[in-house]
Structure formats: C-alpha cells, structure tokens
Amino acid sequence: MPEVSDPGKVLVSSHDHVVVITLNRPDARNAVDHDVCLLVGNAVAAADSDPDVRVIVLTGAGDQAFSAGADLKAIMRGERILPVGREHWSIAGFANHFTSKPTIAAVNGAALGGGTELALSCDLVVAVETATIGLPEVKRGLVAGAGGAFRLTRQLPHRVALELLLTGEPMSATDALRWGLINRVVPAGGALGAAMGLAAQIAANAPLAVQASKRIAYGAEDGTRHDEDSLWALTEREFAVLALSEDAKEGPRAFAEKRSPIWLAR
C-alpha cells in the first residue's frame, strides 16, 4: 500500500453532514504531490462510503491559491506524483474519482493547471473575486492531463474554452461567472463560507434522491462516468507521447529557471 510521509498536507473535517477537504500546503501554493494525492483520494473514498456524509467541499489553505496543480519542483526532483495503484484517481486523488456525493470547490485564490482541473471536477464552484482559472500547460510544453482539455470545452462555449486551452492564459472569476464556469463569486475570504452555505442547502434534501440525481446527470454507473472513458484514454495516449518530447522537458526546466522556454517542436 502507498504510504504518506506528511499527513498534515491535507486537513479533513466534518460539519453537519458536510466533509471539508483542505489542501494544506500554502507555502507551495497548495501544489499537489504524492502525499496530497493519496490523502485526498482516501478522504473522498471514506466520505463516499459514509452514509452520514451528504456533501464534500474541496478548498485550499491560505488566501493566495486554491491549488497551483502538480508540484513541478517535486517532478523535477524525480518524485512520483500519482501513488502506485491509485493512478486512476488522477491528480490530487480527485480529478477522476467519481462519487455520488455532491462536490463543491471553494476556490480561495488562484486555480491554475491541475488546480483548475480540480475545480472542473467538482459539481459546483464558488470562487473569490480575485481568483483566476486557467490551464497554462501549453506554456510548459505539456497538456492538461487530468481532464482539463475535454472538461473545459464541455463546461464553456467551445471557442471560449479553446482560447483558454490554446493560449494558456487565465480567466478572471468575473468572466468565469459570466460564462457559467462557476456558480458564485464572493469577496476575498468568503469562498469556504459560501460553499458551506450551498452545501447546507443540498444536505437539507433527501440524500439518496440527491445522489441518484447526480448519477443520472452524469450518466454514471458503477462509480464511473462512462461518457468520459474514451477521452481519458485519449488524454493518456497523448500525454505519454508528449512526455517523451524535448519540449516537455524544456518547459518545466525553463519554468524552474525563471526564463522563457526555447521550443524545438520535437
């Protein structure tokens, strides 16, 4: 079984049928490493099997970032991000970890790369007005490998999504609200409170009916969204090929060295 070196990287608490999972690496902008993947994934699995839990809220510690996505520094050190045997859960043990319990992202700051993919994975999103959402992977010689490339085009008008995907530029919370990518924009410091208020509304309803409604909405059976099967497979194939390219190595290296990348298209 995979092991965790620092259980404090993720905090889990319960409040009136609502489980709050907090990415607790504010000094690293709540970037996702091996421990975070395993801890969040285990917390979601526990909540999914607990009949007392009716809603799951995902947020980040501090007021700067929801999550910066995969920990590029850990990757540069050769560390594994996805735990062995838990790869199917994808980033943070969450992006491809379907649960019938409604999930809400309380976006307390910047959500970039994998951070945006976590928000896209949630059923509902509440964000502070200073939050930004985006997939900058193309600026690093990479692709959004945790569902972002296909979920963005499903959750935004096609051309709006493609502009974000192909330029790698972020979108403001105000614009994300206007295009329907998020549900509510709140003042700084108010994301978790607003998410908890929304969770309370959901938790007041009949839990089995809520969970059945979610499964129908996603066409989910046996704990899987089968409408995404082929897209996950395509993402994995494209990512595997791209990861071997020189550009995929140059992007993170240039980022770590704080310089512009030199692309070779090979």
Side-chain angles (χ1 to χ4, degrees):
M1 289 290 289
E3 295 184 359
V4 171
S5 61
D6 182 359
K9 290 179 181 178
V10 172
L11 305 177
V12 182
S13 58
S14 299
H15 313 268
D16 299 325
H17 304 295
V18 179
V19 163
V20 179
I21 302 173
T22 304
L23 308 183
N24 189 35
R25 302 186 69 205
D27 293 342
R29 299 180 66 80
N30 297 317
V32 175
D33 64 3
H34 178 278
D35 285 353
V36 171
C37 283
L38 194 55
L39 290 164
V40 173
N42 287 342
V44 171
D48 190 47
S49 63
D50 186 346
D52 192 53
V53 175
R54 299 181 183 178
V55 184
I56 300 169
V57 173
L58 181 69
T59 193
D63 58 4
Q64 297 300 309
F66 173 64
S67 176
D71 189 336
L72 291 183
K73 291 182 179 179
I75 293 173
M76 291 295 290
R77 292 193 297 267
E79 296 178 16
R80 186 182 182 90
I81 298 295
L82 300 181
V84 175
R86 301 288 188 275
E87 297 91 346
H88 57 290
W89 284 347
S90 193
I91 193 168
F94 190 86
N96 193 27
H97 192 168
F98 184 82
T99 169
S100 293
K101 309 295 174 74
T103 57
I104 304 174
V107 180
N108 53 301
L112 297 174
T116 286
E117 290 177 305
L118 293 180
L120 293 173
S121 304
C122 288
D123 304 313
L124 304 174
V125 181
V126 174
V128 294
E129 54 197 3
T130 55
T132 52
I133 294 173
L135 296 171
E137 280 83 353
V138 292
K139 294 177 177 289
R140 312 280 182 256
L142 305 170
V143 293
F150 56 83
R151 284 177 174 163
L152 198 67
T153 55
R154 289 183 166 195
Q155 296 180 33
L156 280 174
H158 193 72
R159 287 184 175 83
V160 175
L162 281 179
E163 181 175 340
L164 290 182
L165 193 63
L166 302 181
T167 66
E169 293 297 321
M171 173 180 279
S172 69
T174 301
D175 284 343
L177 178 67
R178 178 165 65 94
W179 290 114
L181 188 62
I182 62 178
N183 298 86
R184 299 177 186 176
V185 173
V186 297
L192 183 57
M196 293 300 287
L198 194 53
Q201 288 183 276
I202 296 170
N205 295 325
L208 296 182
V210 167
Q211 291 162 34
S213 295
K214 176 176 173 176
R215 288 192 294 270
I216 294 169
Y218 287 114
E221 294 183 282
D222 303 319
T224 301
R225 287 184 59 178
H226 294 291
D227 64 313
E228 294 184 336
D229 286 349
S230 63
L231 296 171
W232 279 108
L234 176 60
T235 298
E236 290 176 8
R237 291 195 300 271
E238 291 282 4
F239 194 93
V241 172
L242 190 64
L244 299 176
S245 71
E246 292 184 34
D247 281 355
K249 298 178 178 65
E250 167 66 3
R253 183 168 55 239
F255 176 77
E257 296 173 359
K258 298 181 180 179
R259 60 173 174 80
S260 298
I262 300 173
W263 305 123
L264 300 175
R266 63 172 187 265

